[in-house]
Amino acid sequence: MDFVVPLITSGSSGLMALAGVWLGQRLSGHVADRQRVWNQKRDTYSGLLAALSELNMITGAIAKYMSVELTEFSSGEIDKLNEQRYRVVRDYGRTRDLAQIFLSAEATAVLRDLENSFGAKSEGNQFRMAVCEAIDKGCPLLIAAARKELGT
C-alpha cells in the first residue's frame, strides 16, 4: 500500500504537467493565429493604400497630359500610363476582395464610398480629377480605419 500512494501522487503531477503543456500549446497557437490575421490585415491595408496612391498619381498625370495639346510624345506617355493604370486597378481589385474577408465593416464602407464616387457621371478630365479628389478624401478615412483596427 505504501508504494501505491507515490504512484498516484506522481501520476497526478505528470497529468498536471501534461495538461500544462497542452494548455501552453493551445495558447501559443491562438497567439500565432491572431498574429497571422493581424499581419494579413496590415498587408491588406498596405496594399490598398499603395494601389490608391499609385492610381491617384497615374490618373493625375494622365489628366495633365490630356489638358494640353496632344503630341506624339504625350500620346505615347498616356499609353504607358494607361498600361500602368490597368495593372494598378487589377491589383487594387484583388486587394479589395481580400479586404472584404479580413477588414472591418468601417474599412469596407470607406472602400465602397470611394468606389461609388468613381462612378460619377462625369467624363474625360473631369472624371479623372474626380477620381483624384475621391482618393484624396478616402485615403485618410482608410488610414483612420487601419489605425483603429490594427491598434496603432
Side-chain angles (χ1 to χ4, degrees):
M1 186 80 168
D2 289 337
F3 110 111
V4 173
V5 173
L7 280 178
I8 293 173
T9 307
S10 68
S12 65
S13 65
L15 185 59
M16 294 296 280
L18 184 59
V21 168
W22 176 82
L23 183 60
Q25 287 177 339
R26 295 285 295 176
L27 290 174
S28 67
H30 179 69
V31 169
D33 288 344
R34 286 177 49 108
Q35 184 64 44
R36 277 191 289 275
V37 170
W38 188 92
N39 288 344
Q40 185 63 52
K41 288 179 181 192
R42 180 203 58 205
D43 293 347
T44 302
Y45 277 116
S46 177
L48 288 169
L49 290 166
L52 288 170
S53 177
E54 193 170 356
L55 182 61
N56 195 11
M57 186 274 308
I58 291 169
T59 303
I62 292 172
K64 286 181 183 175
Y65 277 121
M66 297 295 287
S67 66
V68 296
E69 184 178 333
L70 285 179
T71 64
E72 188 175 324
F73 173 78
S74 62
S75 182
E77 291 301 305
I78 290 170
D79 288 344
K80 290 177 191 175
L81 289 167
N82 276 323
E83 288 175 19
Q84 288 177 352
R85 184 177 57 125
Y86 173 77
R87 179 188 49 78
V88 169
V89 169
R90 184 193 64 220
D91 291 347
Y92 170 80
R94 289 178 182 157
T95 308
R96 185 208 50 234
D97 292 344
L98 287 174
Q100 302 299 319
I101 298 167
F102 289 105
L103 302 188
S104 68
E106 179 182 351
T108 56
V110 168
L111 294 174
R112 191 172 34 259
D113 291 346
L114 184 66
E115 291 172 11
N116 287 340
S117 65
F118 289 170
K121 299 287 184 200
S122 56
E123 295 180 11
N125 263 5
Q126 186 180 12
F127 171 74
R128 289 181 192 92
M129 296 314 295
V131 167
C132 290
E133 288 175 17
I135 291 172
D136 287 341
K137 290 178 185 174
C139 280
L141 298 174
L142 192 58
I143 290 169
R147 284 190 172 146
K148 184 176 178 181
E149 188 168 8
L150 299 175
T152 59

